[in-house]
Structure formats: C-alpha cells, structure tokens
C-alpha cells in the first residue's frame, strides 16, 4: 500500500468548499483502487491568516510543504487584502518557490457542457495549454519611481531566460510527440522585439529536435480570434505566462465555463511537489452559500492522480464528469442545475463508484 502525503491549502472564498469535494473524490478513488491511500495535511493560509499575521503563509511555509507528494489548492484572494499582495504572497510564491514551471490546462469540451459558440461538437474543442509558469511577464521585477510627482513612472520587467523558454517549449514538443498532435506556439514578435523574438527563435531551435511534430506559430491576438472562430486548429499550445493566462480563461469560456476549468502547476522533474487547483478565483460573492461548482477542483484532482502515475484514474474522473453533464445529474447552477456543492460532489462519487464497479 503506497501512502501519498497531500498538502491541502483551501484558501479563501469558495476555495474551502470546492477543495472539500476534491478531497472527498481522492478518498473515494483510493478506496476503489485499493493500492494507495492519502494522508491530507491542511494549512489554513490565505487572506484571513494575513489579517491576523501580516503574511499570507508562515515564513517557513515552503519548508512545511516540501516533503508532500502534491499540493491541492482552492483559491486565493479576498476583499480587504489587495490582490497583488495575496497572490504574490501565496499562489505565485508557491509556483516560483517550487519551480513549477509548467502550468498544464486542458481545454476540452465535454459532451453536455454548455458552449457559447455556434455548432460546436466536443471534437472541435480539445486542446491542452502548456503555459510557462515561472518567469516571463510574471517575473515580479520592476520599479516605481518618483511616486506622487509629475515624473512618476513604473517599469514592469518581463524576464525570458534561455533555460526558462527551452524547458517549457521542450515539454510542449515532448507532449505533442507523445500524443501525435500538432503544436502551436503563441507569440507577439511583431511588437515585443526582445522577449517574443527570442521565444520564436527558441521555438524554432528546439523544433529541430522534433521534425516529426507539425508546428504552427500564431500571434496572440490572432490566436484569440481563432480560438473563437476555429478552435479545432489547436491541439497542443505553448505560451508565455501572461498569454497563457489570458487565453486559458478564453478557453474555459468556450469549454463549459470556469466551473469546469482545471489546472496543474507541475515540476515535471519531481524535485518539488506539484500543485493542483481550479483555475477560477475565490468568487467572494458566492462564498459560504454552498453553490460553487466543485467539478473544476475534481478535474484538477484527476490531474494530481495522473501526475502520481495513475492516468487511468484521470480518464475515469473526466469520463464521470462528462456522464454527469450528459445526464444533467446533480449539477450546480453555473451548469444549469440546482445542486449544492456537496450534493454535486456526493453524486460524483456515487457515479464514479458505480462506473468503476461495472468495469471491474
Ligand atoms: C490563474 C490566475 C492567476 C494567474 C492570478 C490569480 C495571479 O489568474 O491561475 O490563471 O494570473 O496566474
Ligand atoms: Mn488566470
């Protein structure tokens, strides 16, 4: 019996409500599987913690997490603490501190999921975004000069290192090769004459090692348009931190909404724990009402299982989400249902269990 230590950071707003359902599902999976189990350690970090201590997490927070096999994160941010403080003090600190340089975001229209685009079949929207997650536009570097004077100016630096670009681009090529899919790189080399020209050059260089992978390069503005007009042209997509951030919200919008959008912050080299989270925020206005959709968190728990080496469980969980959507079974209000967060999670577990029993 393998034991996995999972650190849980429920965080703010609807975070605790949705994370509870992800934990429920992981426990159900371990019971059904029988070969592994989870030990969860909860860390009460976030905005409330900040208001009490002046920090989003303790000084030795990374140390407390570093020996876990994975981290489950709910959401971060709450009115009363400026977003750049809460996010930089927790979410971004973890991504950076554990060098989780890949942010992997599946954008897949499941059967039965709402889609605002006309005449879309599930097979038309099925891509995976590989978002750079450690540097780029999110470097946090810059300066604020001459505050409150007429000369006031700010500088927000982007950092694109050769190592940083190569590793994310190589990861995307490997994924495209393994899955025999096309690879699209998102750029803006026409306007960003250092960062994106460099990015394009590295995309081409690394590509020489992957002559079998069919590639495309799109400017980010054109990519946004094509994701709406012809999403089918995207299979594996690699993008910088900010471009990946923006396009994956667009991706969520065309594939069922934020309630279904999952993401994994990966250290592919397993030096540090990877972190799994729904890509939606803390939705303060929905918090405490029991109406948040837990399916994004459950999908990210599936990514956690895949990362630990259980791709079959990933598939079974996504299939079960699709089953619930097709049958309109116990969905929350964002998906047209009237189930509560807990009811949706409970229904998910019973559906997963019966599907699993049937197939074994
Ligand atoms: C995301 C979020 C974060 C990001 C914010 C909350 C800092 O939007 O995970 O996509 O921009 O990375
Ligand atoms: Mn985002």
């Amino acid at each position: 019996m393998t034991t996995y230590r999972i650190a849980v950071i429920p965080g703010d707003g609807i975070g605790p409500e949705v994370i509870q359902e992800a934990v429920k599902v992981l426990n159900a999976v371990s019971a059904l599987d029988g070969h592994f189990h989870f030990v969860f350690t909860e860390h009460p970090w976030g905005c409330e913690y900040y208001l009490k201590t002046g920090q989003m997490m303790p000084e030795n927070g990374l140390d407390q997490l570093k020996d876990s096999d994975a981290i489950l994160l709910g959401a971060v941010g709450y009115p009363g603490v400026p977003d750049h403080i809460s996010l930089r003090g927790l979410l971004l600190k973890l991504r950076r501190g554990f060098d989780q340089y890949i942010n992997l975001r599946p954008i897949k229209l499941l059967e039965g999921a709402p889609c605002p685009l006309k005449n879309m079949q599930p097979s038309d929207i099925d891509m995976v975004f590989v978002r750079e997650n450690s540097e780029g536009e999110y470097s946090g570097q810059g300066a604020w000069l001459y505050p409150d004077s007429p000369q006031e100016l700010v500088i927000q630096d982007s950092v694109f290192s050769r190592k940083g670009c190569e590793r994310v681009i190589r990861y995307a090529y490997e994924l495209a090769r393994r899955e025999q899919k096309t690879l699209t790189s998102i750029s803006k080399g026409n306007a960003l004459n250092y960062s994106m020209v460099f990015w394009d050059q590295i995309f081409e260089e690394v590509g020489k090692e992957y002559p079998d992978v069919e590639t495309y390069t799109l400017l980010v503005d054109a990519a946004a348009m094509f994701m709406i007009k012809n999403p089918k042209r995207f299979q594996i997509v690699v993008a910088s931190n900010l471009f990946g951030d923006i396009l994956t919200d667009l991706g969520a919008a065309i594939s069922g909404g934020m309630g279904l959008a999952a993401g994994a912050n990966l250290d592919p080299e397993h030096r540090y724990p990877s972190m799994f989270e729904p890509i939606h925020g803390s939705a303060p206005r929905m918090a405490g009402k029991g109406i948040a959709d837990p399916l994004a968190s459950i999908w990210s728990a599936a990514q956690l299982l895949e990362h630990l080496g259980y791709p079959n469980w990933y598939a079974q969980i996504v299939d079960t989400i699709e089953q619930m959507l097709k049958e309109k079974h116990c969905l929350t209000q964002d998906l047209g249902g009237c189930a509560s967060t807990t009811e949706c999670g409970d229904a998910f577990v019973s559906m997963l269990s019966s599907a699993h029993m049937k197939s074994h």
Side-chain angles (χ1 to χ4, degrees), residues 95 105 131 138 244-246 248-249 258 279:
R95 288 178 181 170
R105 297 185 161 180
R131 167 186 174 192
Y138 280 46
D245 175 46
I246 297 168
T248 51
D249 263 35
M258 292 310 267
I279 83 173

Side-chain angles (χ1 to χ4, degrees), residues 52-313:
K52 275 186 253 151
T53 65
Q55 288 181 312
M56 289 297 291
M57 65 171 169
E59 207 64 69
N60 69 348
L62 288 179
D63 237 36
Q64 291 189 39
L65 301 177
K66 75 174 187 330
D67 293 325
S68 37
D69 295 295
I71 304 165
L72 261 186
L73 179 90
V76 183
Y78 213 74
V81 183
D83 282 342
H84 67 277
I85 294 192
S86 57
L87 274 319
R88 285 234 154 253
L90 187 50
L91 174 64
L92 299 178
K93 203 176 230 168
L94 295 175
R95 288 178 181 170
R96 280 287 284 284
F98 288 142
D99 204 15
Q100 296 161 344
Y101 61 88
I102 301 297
N103 194 322
L104 199 68
R105 297 185 161 180
I107 292 171
K108 185 175 166 61
L109 180 63
L110 300 179
E111 219 183 309
C115 179
L117 307 179
K118 260 191 302 188
N119 306 324
M120 285 290 157
Q121 301 302 313
S123 61
D124 294 331
I125 302 180
D126 187 2
M127 55 189 108
V128 175
F129 260 77
V130 180
R131 167 186 174 192
E132 205 291 319
N133 211 34
S134 66
E135 53 171 33
E137 307 87 343
Y138 280 46
S139 75
Q141 300 304 308
W144 198 305
L145 301 179
Y146 321 120
D148 304 318
S149 82
Q151 295 84 10
E152 185 166 23
L153 75 92
V154 302
I155 301 169
Q156 182 87 49
D157 288 326
S158 292
V159 172
F160 287 77
S161 66
R162 173 166 284 279
K163 177 181 163 196
C165 295
E166 278 184 8
R167 63 186 185 175
V168 65
I169 287 172
R170 179 162 284 118
Y171 182 95
Y173 270 109
E174 287 289 335
L175 183 61
R177 168 177 280 171
R178 205 163 54 239
E179 304 204 337
Q180 302 192 325
K181 301 225 167 115
T182 65
L183 175 60
T184 299
S185 165
I186 307 297
S187 177
K188 189 66 192 173
N190 54 354
L192 303 178
N193 52 334
Y194 293 105
S195 57
M196 284 297 144
V197 171
F198 187 58
W199 174 276
D200 288 343
Q201 185 188 313
I202 292 181
F203 184 69
E204 214 179 295
E205 269 173 39
V206 175
K208 296 210 175 82
E209 298 166 39
Y210 300 86
D212 49 311
V213 176
E214 189 180 327
T215 60
Y216 300 89
T217 298
L218 277 179
L219 297 171
V220 62
D221 44 354
M225 174 193 64
F226 283 127
M227 277 179 69
I228 301 288
K229 288 190 70 163
N230 185 13
K232 205 177 176 144
R233 62 190 282 160
F234 299 94
Q235 294 187 335
I236 310 294
V237 185
V238 64
S240 68
N241 211 331
L242 180 63
F243 292 173
D245 175 46
I246 297 168
L247 291 179
T248 51
D249 263 35
L250 178 56
I254 62 172
S255 60
M258 292 310 267
L260 284 173
N265 304 277
L266 302 177
D267 166 22
E269 292 149 46
H270 292 262
R271 297 158 300 167
Y272 303 102
S274 292
M275 178 166 70
F276 302 84
E277 53 164 346
I279 83 173
H280 60 66
S282 57
R285 270 172 299 178
M286 287 171 80
K289 298 192 177 140
I291 53 171
D293 190 339
L295 293 176
S297 289
I298 291 173
W299 195 327
S300 68
Q303 289 184 292
L304 183 154
L305 286 160
E306 184 175 44
H307 183 70
L308 293 179
Y310 304 99
N312 290 338
W313 277 114

Side-chain angles (χ1 to χ4, degrees), residues 23-44:
V23 167
K24 190 186 278 177
V25 168
L26 287 174
N27 279 327
V29 166
S30 74
L32 291 168
D33 187 282
H35 296 97
F36 54 85
H37 81 289
F38 295 105
V39 176
F40 297 97
T41 309
E42 206 170 298
H43 301 275

